[in-house]
Amino acid sequence: MEEEAPVHEERVLSGAEVVAARYRELPAEERARSANALAPLLAEGTDYTVGTVRKYLGGIKCTERQTAAYH
């Protein structure tokens, strides 16, 4: 009787998580650019439109500002 290998379910990242991960990979000077300027760059190579990426970036940048305000 063969033992079955454990099944590892890989969690698929949400669109916002994909954009956030790509955003965090950028150097600080690039991250300082506006969401409008960054959206086309971050949308490249994904299945997301520039508008969708811009929407996600708005939330990411807002969270960043709120976090910075608390520190």
Side-chain angles (χ1 to χ4, degrees):
M1 188 159 85
E2 287 184 36
E3 283 187 38
E4 289 185 33
V7 176
H8 294 288
E9 290 185 32
E10 291 190 26
R11 190 172 85 77
V12 177
L13 296 177
S14 72
E17 290 170 323
V18 169
V19 172
R22 293 186 63 156
Y23 175 77
R24 284 191 300 268
E25 291 172 354
L26 295 173
E29 58 272 6
E30 286 286 311
R31 289 194 310 263
R33 295 171 58 193
S34 71
N36 285 338
L38 287 173
L41 173 73
L42 294 177
E44 276 182 26
T46 71
D47 294 332
Y48 303 106
T49 65
V50 171
T52 299
V53 171
R54 189 179 303 120
K55 179 181 79 170
Y56 292 148
L57 279 173
I60 293 164
K61 286 179 159 287
C62 182
T63 301
E64 252 185 9
R65 284 191 300 270
Q66 288 174 347
T67 302
Y70 290 120
H71 290 111

